[in-house]
Amino acid sequence: MAKKLHTKPEDLVAKSGLFAGANTFMGIASMVMIFGFVAFTVWDVDYSGKFFELGKSFVSSTLDWFYVSVVSAVL
């Protein structure tokens, strides 16, 4: 008998537990990314501050028009 290659979307949603009603993979991936972000920030506060400042200056100098447009559209 052939194996099923495709799963239905409703089979990917947790039926009970912490991720009830959510896609289990997306929930775990989100938790790992949040934990990594917090660990990076706490591990070396000075370096992470410089890193985030670099990201902020990139967004404000390069993507300023796009950022203002997206915020305006969301609001």
Side-chain angles (χ1 to χ4, degrees):
M1 183 149 175
K3 229 178 162 182
K4 256 171 90 174
L5 295 177
H6 300 288
T7 57
K8 296 184 276 185
E10 57 267 9
D11 293 340
L12 299 174
V13 176
K15 306 293 187 247
S16 64
L18 180 64
F19 299 113
N23 185 313
T24 306
F25 174 75
M26 293 303 292
I28 292 172
S30 299
M31 288 175 64
V32 167
M33 288 191 314
I34 291 169
F35 178 75
F37 172 78
V38 170
F40 169 70
T41 303
V42 171
W43 187 266
D44 190 355
V45 177
D46 294 331
Y47 179 74
S48 62
K50 291 175 187 174
F51 182 78
F52 296 139
E53 182 62 35
L54 180 67
K56 184 177 121 184
S57 67
F58 171 77
V59 169
S60 64
S61 66
T62 308
L63 303 173
D64 54 348
W65 62 271
F66 181 71
Y67 181 74
V68 170
S69 300
V70 168
V71 170
S72 297
V74 169
L75 294 177

